[in-house]
Amino acid sequence: SMAFLDTGTNDIVLPETLYAAVEAAVCGGSGSAGPTAHCHAFFQQGICAALTPSQLDAYPDIVLHLDKGVELKMTSRDYLLYGSPAAASADEVCLGIGKGGERFFILGDTAMRSQYIVFTLQEVGFGKVNTKTCGSI
């Protein structure tokens, strides 16, 4: 699949097959109880839900493998987002990943918020932001 980096798109938009694979990897054996109880509902119903910080941290990292060996790693705090307009309250998180076309995906703000992005005419590079020395995001 071809990926587009778009600073004007809020979410990561994945082809349906990749979206299903990410859901399976993130939710795994999540049941209806426990810290990741809302996992499948985030992906299948697009709900927002109130999570404590420890519940949020119970969700696994996601690693997208891009061309040339580039890996884009996101923690649960990168893809489960506080402050969404869809959230009913400030303690709710919403999934920052959606389904899109069949042949491409879009890396929007969700993918970029914790990365240091370098744009050149030939390539795009990613690097983790060091919030201890660069301020907060």
Side-chain angles (χ1 to χ4, degrees):
S1 295
M2 181 180 291
F4 295 96
L5 192 61
D6 183 8
T7 59
T9 299
N10 290 333
D11 292 344
I12 297 170
V13 182
L14 302 174
E16 286 196 35
T17 54
L18 187 53
Y19 184 86
V22 169
E23 178 185 1
V26 170
C27 297
S30 294
S32 59
T36 59
H38 299 292
C39 193
H40 289 292
F42 283 134
F43 281 89
Q44 295 173 10
Q45 300 165 9
I47 69 156
C48 299
L51 296 181
T52 66
S54 62
Q55 288 173 315
L56 182 59
D57 291 338
Y59 285 82
D61 294 348
I62 295 174
V63 180
L64 296 177
H65 300 275
L66 307 175
D67 286 347
K68 299 181 183 180
V70 174
E71 291 185 343
L72 177 59
K73 180 180 176 184
M74 294 174 291
T75 69
S76 59
R77 292 177 182 264
D78 294 324
Y79 65 85
L80 290 171
L81 309 172
Y82 288 108
S84 169
S89 65
D91 65 340
E92 284 191 348
V93 296
C94 302
L95 182 65
I97 303 171
K99 285 187 257 185
E102 293 180 23
R103 296 185 187 171
F104 66 90
F105 59 98
I106 300 170
L107 299 175
D109 183 57
T110 295
M112 292 185 268
R113 68 181 54 230
S114 66
Q115 305 293 322
Y116 180 74
I117 311 286
V118 177
F119 296 89
T120 69
L121 293 176
Q122 293 79 27
E123 297 183 20
V124 174
F126 294 93
K128 199 69 173 165
V129 171
N130 183 342
T131 58
K132 291 178 182 158
T133 59
C134 287
S136 63
I137 297 176

